[in-house]
Amino acid sequence: MHSNAMPSEASGQAEADGPTDANGQVSVNGQPRTEGTGGPADGIPEATVARLPVYLRALYGLAERGISTVASEELAAAAGVNSAKLRKDLSHLGSYGIRGVGYDVDYLVYQVSRTLGLTQDWPVVIVGAGNLGRALANYGGFVSRGFTISGMLDSDTAIVGSRIARLTVRHVDELEAVVARHKVAIGVIATPAGSAQGVCDRLVAAGVTSILNFAPLVLSVPEGVDVRKVDLSIELQILAFHAQRRSAARPESRPADAGGNAGGGGGRSTPRVTPELAAQG
């Protein structure tokens, strides 16, 4: 559970920040409007919100190494962004580093966590207790980041009643009751595509307005419901594209000629003698 105690705020001259934009507002995870309709919270651009978890992960890494302050350039490098963009993002949180010192790591962890709503525990229900659902339920990182798996649901009677990560799998017919009992804030859909939309509709009707979707399907949701889609096959296809481009750009080695000289090497290669050249000789 995250502590709500606020460390002492760093103060002093702000670091020089570059006037870079936050890439504007885009649809959530590149999905169309039906895939999530939440806008920026408290005036923070959606692109900045998407980068805050990356900053938080980098900050946790620094804290685990005992680092108490960090320069914007170092934090930006750890997060994979440029320092001007990082300073611009953090300025939306009202966070300014001390010139020549940097940011207070503990306080910045608190600021980012508070902005993301992680200073409280969020009850989560997972619908779909197959291999993916089991892996999610057993992932220890949820608890340490403020998320509690409050229930697991499935329609397979062979799975219902089994124990997964200290949870008893309930039948999906109990979805509404589980949501109400545990005051579920976030629903995770780990079902096949064919049943994902129906599960989504039931979660929304039960009052869940934040959904993480692992099913290979674009969900249709009403206004005011946020959906984040995780499609591993799409990520793999993007990686395959880049791997193919690198492979195509790699120079092919030429076979050695009869004289033992490889084409493209540093030595002189023996020219090929054609009948026309032989006649001229």
Side-chain angles (χ1 to χ4, degrees):
M1 178 180 296
H2 288 276
S3 171
N4 289 327
M6 184 177 72
S8 299
E9 181 170 0
S11 61
Q13 177 68 36
E15 289 188 346
D17 50 1
T20 178
D21 63 49
N23 292 336
Q25 297 178 24
V26 296
S27 58
V28 175
N29 207 29
Q31 299 301 320
R33 184 69 171 172
T34 56
E35 185 65 16
T37 56
D42 300 324
I44 301 177
E46 199 69 61
T48 295
V49 174
R51 287 189 289 268
L52 292 181
V54 181
Y55 300 153
L56 187 58
R57 181 177 60 189
L59 288 165
Y60 275 129
L62 294 170
E64 289 170 359
R65 289 157 48 197
I67 297 175
S68 58
T69 58
V70 61
S72 59
E73 290 79 7
E74 295 171 336
L75 181 55
V81 301
N82 66 64
S83 58
K85 179 176 292 185
L86 178 136
R87 288 192 294 268
K88 181 69 173 179
D89 287 342
L90 296 184
S91 71
H92 289 292
L93 281 58
S95 179
Y96 298 92
I98 302 174
R99 185 181 297 277
V101 177
Y103 294 94
D104 181 282
V105 171
D106 287 341
Y107 180 62
L108 197 51
V109 165
Y110 168 79
Q111 280 189 303
V112 177
S113 297
R114 180 186 60 181
T115 302
L116 291 173
L118 302 181
T119 52
Q120 68 184 76
D121 285 336
W122 294 96
V124 177
V125 64
I126 299 176
V127 185
N131 292 333
L132 176 58
R134 291 170 182 266
L136 293 172
N138 282 291
Y139 174 56
F142 288 138
V143 175
S144 63
R145 297 297 187 265
F147 302 96
T148 301
I149 307 302
S150 299
M152 287 198 71
L153 305 167
D154 203 281
S155 61
D156 188 346
T157 55
I159 298 177
V160 173
S162 62
R163 298 279 293 180
I164 299 176
R166 299 186 301 279
L167 291 170
T168 299
V169 180
R170 305 294 182 186
H171 196 279
V172 72
D173 288 347
E174 299 182 47
L175 185 149
E176 290 78 8
V178 170
V179 169
R181 183 185 313 129
H182 297 285
K183 296 180 174 57
V184 169
I186 301 172
V188 177
I189 298 177
T191 67
S195 54
Q197 184 63 59
V199 168
C200 176
D201 293 342
R202 290 181 60 187
L203 286 169
V204 172
V208 176
T209 56
S210 297
I211 296 173
L212 180 61
N213 177 33
F214 284 90
L217 176 75
V218 175
L219 299 173
S220 177
V221 295
E223 194 78 19
V225 176
D226 293 305
V227 177
R228 297 290 296 184
K229 179 173 176 56
V230 180
D231 194 323
L232 300 180
S233 64
I234 288 179
E235 301 303 324
L236 288 172
Q237 289 166 12
I238 293 173
L239 288 174
F241 167 80
H242 291 294
Q244 176 182 257
R245 291 288 295 271
R246 285 193 298 270
S247 178
R250 191 176 300 122
E252 297 279 345
S253 58
R254 297 182 181 179
D257 59 27
N261 296 313
R268 292 191 307 172
S269 60
T270 304
R272 187 170 63 90
V273 180
T274 64
E276 292 80 2
L277 287 175
Q280 293 174 6

